[in-house]
Amino acid sequence: MSRAPEPSFVQLLTEQVRHEFTASQQYIAIAVWFDGHDLPRLATHFYLQSVEERNHAMMMVQYMLDRDWALTVPGVDEVRNEFGKPHEPIALALEQEKSVTAQIEALFRAARSEGDVLGEQFMLWFLKEQVEEVAAMNTLLTIAQRAGEDWFQIEDHLAREAVGDGGNDASAPATAGGAL
């Protein structure tokens, strides 16, 4: 019995565009949930995360355009909209970031195995970004868990502390249509 061939770097990158757009939509759903529970700093944080994920998708789109690779803009997967307590959407976001990290690692490995040094170099920025994303979401989840039923402690934390870099990185790849 023969094994199916591993997906190519181009195939994985095309799938990753969908994953990034789905992450953007999931962050909007989380932001709306926080907005609906009168937690404006958490809502703002996740609205900004949504834009950052959209920008990541558009960086990949620009890269594929620059490499003259065919690209079909994908739809997105279903997102979760209902949560019980603030730590639940944050835990979902952390799991999503860990999943994206594994996807980015697979992309890097695919580029390396194909000898695509340009693809490998492109993925290095995303690997660095995922370290920051996972760390920031992990910290936010820890704060939410410590806050327990006092949801406003999370808001106070976000008022005092910067969580993540807000997507502002001069070394970021170009974004199709410009970064939002």
Side-chain angles (χ1 to χ4, degrees):
M1 184 165 133
S2 65
R3 265 180 80 185
E6 293 293 318
S8 72
F9 177 69
V10 175
Q11 290 169 318
L12 290 173
L13 192 58
T14 301
E15 290 173 19
Q16 194 62 35
V17 171
R18 179 176 50 84
H19 296 315
E20 298 292 334
F21 280 134
T22 298
S24 178
Q25 288 296 103
Q26 183 60 68
Y27 283 148
I28 290 172
I30 291 170
V32 168
W33 189 86
F34 282 128
D35 240 351
H37 287 81
D38 297 321
L39 297 164
R41 291 190 186 276
L42 279 160
T44 296
H45 177 75
F46 281 96
Y47 285 128
L48 292 172
Q49 284 296 123
S50 173
V51 170
E52 191 171 330
E53 298 304 328
R54 177 261 182 210
N55 286 341
H56 292 169
M58 297 305 286
M59 289 171 185
M60 293 173 184
V61 167
Q62 185 64 58
Y63 180 78
M64 293 178 80
L65 290 169
D66 290 347
R67 297 280 309 259
D68 200 26
W69 291 339
L71 172 68
T72 301
V73 176
V76 298
D77 299 329
E78 289 293 316
V79 298
R80 182 174 167 195
N81 288 281
E82 297 299 323
F83 306 96
K85 298 187 185 277
H87 74 276
E88 293 175 18
I90 298 168
L92 175 65
L94 176 58
E95 287 310 307
Q96 179 173 277
E97 291 298 344
K98 287 179 178 180
S99 178
V100 168
T101 299
Q103 293 159 353
I104 297 297
E105 289 170 349
L107 275 157
F108 181 85
R109 282 192 298 277
R112 177 165 279 182
S113 74
E114 293 172 19
D116 183 351
V117 294
L118 297 174
E120 196 175 318
Q121 185 276 333
F122 176 67
M123 296 316 302
L124 285 174
W125 183 86
F126 290 96
L127 288 169
K128 176 184 71 76
E129 176 71 4
Q130 283 310 119
V131 170
E132 181 266 321
E133 294 286 343
V134 170
M137 209 56 72
N138 195 45
T139 297
L140 191 55
L141 179 58
T142 299
I143 298 301
Q145 290 169 332
R146 287 179 186 161
E149 295 299 317
D150 188 358
W151 298 5
F152 293 106
Q153 280 190 25
I154 311 166
E155 292 281 287
D156 289 343
H157 172 77
L158 287 173
R160 288 189 318 272
E161 304 291 331
V163 178
D165 67 6
N168 300 318
D169 182 347
S171 68
T175 305
L180 297 182

